[in-house]
Amino acid sequence: MLVIRRRAGEAVLIGSDIEIQVIEISPSRVKLGILAPPAVLVLRKEIQLARQQNLAAARALTEHTLDALLSFLNRPG
């Protein structure tokens, strides 16, 4: 892992087409601006982890469990 110190207003380049700029620094947060081509997916890590967990949970459903859930949801009133 490369660790670089930057001040507000300074930036880091990744390759020739991705720029990460430090917008604001406070005692508990850092606000970053990311300039990247539209083809580059930029996600917060916790979003990616939640997606992976949701996919794993969906794959773990059995046909029986899914049928029971659908029956429950289709009950009147």
Side-chain angles (χ1 to χ4, degrees):
M1 176 186 296
L2 174 64
V3 178
I4 300 175
R5 293 178 188 207
R6 301 277 77 197
R7 291 186 169 98
E10 295 180 335
V12 174
L13 294 175
I14 300 176
S16 61
D17 55 355
I18 299 173
E19 179 179 339
I20 301 175
Q21 184 174 16
V22 179
I23 304 295
E24 182 181 313
I25 300 172
S26 69
S28 62
R29 317 182 129 186
V30 174
K31 186 185 280 188
L32 302 174
I34 302 170
L35 183 60
V40 175
L41 180 62
V42 178
L43 288 177
R44 294 189 333 247
K45 186 172 182 175
E46 62 271 18
I47 299 296
Q48 178 65 18
L49 292 174
R51 180 179 183 270
Q52 291 170 348
Q53 291 169 346
N54 288 338
L55 287 172
R59 287 185 189 113
L61 282 178
T62 64
E63 186 176 339
H64 174 72
T65 305
L66 188 55
D67 287 340
L69 177 60
L70 288 173
S71 295
F72 176 77
L73 293 174
N74 289 326
R75 288 191 333 208

